[in-house]
Amino acid sequence: MHSRTSHPLALPVGTTLDRYIMNRQYAFAYATGELSQLLRDIALAGKIINREINRAGLIDLTGGIGAQNVQGENQQKLDVIADIRFERALKNGGEVCAIISEEEEEIIFTGNNHAKYVVAIDPLDGSSNIDVNVSIGTIFSIYRRVTPIGTEPTMDDFLQGGHEQVAAGYILYGSSTILVYTTGHSVNGFTYDASLGEFILSHPDLQSPADGTIYSCNDGNADLYEEPVRAYLADCRKKQYTGRYIGSLVADFHRNLLKGGIYLYPPTPKNPEGKLRLLYECYPLAFIAERAGCRAVTRTESILDIKPDSVHQRTPIFMGAPKMVDDLLSRF
Ligand code: AHM
Ligand code: MG
């Protein structure tokens, strides 16, 4: 016999993202609620994009738009839609004075010069996977502006360095949709329940294994990597580690975070600085990775220690279980 509250139909659904954010806010006496509102705005845009992705094949949202982004890459329709959705959500939310997006060369001014935050975002990462129903993601990074409130924001607000992030997160549109974020303390994941229209806390206080047996890189480039990286990969194969590479950074990162693994995007002759972008791909994931017990480095320094000089700059990255990253670095 079930009691009233233990009946399967009466079990709690869990903590919603909104409630979690509010509870965190109340824990800090000085919190004004602006960051909470900003995180909720991002979650709202994520829900809308999740909807568009799920019906993309039905409403003419697949394929290219016939234009290139700032990186010279062909923009997909969903790239552009996601960019518009986030821009609108962040403008209307009122907590953000400026945005840097992978899809746009210049700073996007929201017109809210009295807002205290700026956001760097890759609205939809993993473009090559959009049309083939494979996981894609959103990556975001939030800073408190350094220019005076009330003035027009500048590049300086974005070029503060990875340690200055106030919060960072990603949304993975995968076999289920999950939003993972940290404000610099614990890392928490919230799975989307479409029937409720809510993200529900499903992965509290995520900690990644210290070691792992998964390696993730574009194997087609492997002959082009520096010798120490090639030697490390040869060793992974010799030990019969598992090679897993989706080609969507968020999906590869999330899998390795949960299971233990290393993600590599080393320099190649085509991309001597690596391919991934510092501000809206590497910094936010490195911020999360470190809080979850992982490491994120270039060959010479921690990703978060890199001093940024332009908003769309790239960096090589090795990221994942600390033992694997240390092993790789020991080869140099
Ligand atoms: P995008 O921002 O144009 O989508 O490219 C970023 C993606 C990452 O998600 C992924 O890890 C990487 O590019 C894959 O690159 P490659 O196809 O060279 O392996
Ligand atoms: Mg990207």
Side-chain angles (χ1 to χ4, degrees):
M1 231 356 222
H2 298 289
S3 74
R4 260 169 60 85
T5 51
S6 70
H7 190 282
L9 289 174
L11 290 177
V13 292
T15 307
T16 65
L17 176 65
D18 280 5
R19 181 171 297 165
Y20 182 87
I21 291 172
M22 292 315 290
N23 288 347
R24 297 284 310 157
Q25 181 194 323
Y26 296 142
F28 295 99
Y30 54 83
T32 58
E34 289 150 297
L35 181 61
S36 301
Q37 181 57 44
L38 170 45
L39 289 166
R40 290 200 299 263
D41 294 337
I42 289 176
L44 172 63
K47 287 182 202 175
I48 298 170
I49 291 157
N50 183 61
R51 184 190 66 184
E52 318 293 31
I53 290 169
N54 280 317
R55 54 184 194 159
L58 301 174
I59 54 168
D60 191 30
L61 268 184
T62 56
I65 205 163
Q68 292 192 328
N69 69 8
V70 55
Q71 328 284 344
E73 296 152 348
N74 293 327
Q75 285 183 306
Q76 304 298 299
K77 287 181 196 162
L78 268 174
D79 278 335
V80 175
I81 297 292
D83 191 43
I84 293 168
R85 291 291 184 196
F86 274 106
E87 197 177 310
R88 191 178 290 144
L90 294 175
K91 273 185 180 164
N92 291 344
E95 314 301 350
V96 174
C97 57
I99 306 163
I100 282 289
S101 163
E102 183 186 348
E103 300 304 324
E104 304 200 32
E105 175 130 35
E106 306 292 341
I107 294 184
I108 302 157
F109 297 103
T110 62
N112 306 320
N113 284 352
H114 286 279
K116 16 174 183 277
Y117 293 103
V118 299
V119 171
I121 191 161
D122 184 348
L124 206 53
D125 184 71
S127 310
S128 65
N129 284 323
I130 290 177
D131 284 355
V132 290
N133 291 52
V134 175
S135 302
I136 43 187
T138 295
I139 313 172
F140 61 91
S141 168
I142 302 173
Y143 297 86
R144 203 168 281 117
R145 65 186 295 180
V146 290
T147 49
I149 303 261
T151 62
E152 187 159 275
T154 71
M155 290 289 181
D156 290 345
D157 294 312
F158 292 97
L159 299 178
Q160 299 185 41
H163 291 291
E164 300 308 317
Q165 293 174 95
V166 171
Y170 60 83
I171 306 171
L172 169 59
Y173 312 97
S175 47
S176 64
T177 295
I178 184 167
L179 185 154
V180 176
Y181 84 99
T182 181
T183 52
H185 307 283
S186 57
V187 176
N188 293 284
F190 299 81
T191 299
Y192 185 57
D193 182 334
S195 66
L196 296 175
E198 298 276 7
F199 285 100
I200 310 284
L201 180 62
S202 53
H203 296 65
D205 196 8
L206 267 171
Q207 281 296 317
S208 194
D211 202 359
T213 56
I214 298 173
Y215 65 100
S216 312
C217 64
N218 186 336
D219 194 66
N221 292 336
D223 287 349
L224 306 173
Y225 299 155
E226 300 160 279
E227 203 285 320
V229 180
R230 294 206 309 272
Y232 176 75
L233 291 175
D235 210 28
C236 289
R237 294 182 191 112
K238 203 160 104 200
K239 290 178 182 154
Q240 297 184 329
Y241 281 6
T242 298
R244 288 280 183 274
Y245 188 69
I246 295 168
S248 276
L249 176 60
V250 174
D252 283 309
F253 176 84
H254 185 70
R255 180 202 51 244
N256 290 0
L257 184 75
L258 297 189
K259 293 193 162 186
I262 185 168
Y263 178 93
L264 310 88
Y265 212 110
T268 61
K270 183 177 160 206
N271 292 305
E273 301 303 320
K275 179 183 178 194
L276 301 179
R277 293 69 164 188
L278 181 61
L279 259 73
Y280 38 80
E281 293 178 330
C282 296
Y283 271 162
L285 295 187
F287 194 66
I288 294 167
E290 290 204 356
R291 267 53 185 188
C294 296
R295 292 197 69 194
V297 300
T298 67
R299 182 194 148 162
T300 54
E301 63 186 328
S302 154
I303 292 288
L304 295 179
D305 287 342
I306 298 175
K307 302 269 172 282
D309 47 40
S310 75
V311 292
H312 293 294
Q313 82 189 66
R314 299 172 193 260
T315 178
I317 188 166
F318 307 114
M319 172 164 61
K323 287 196 173 152
M324 298 182 87
V325 173
D326 290 345
D327 184 4
L328 169 64
L329 290 180
S330 73
R331 319 281 172 135
F332 282 97

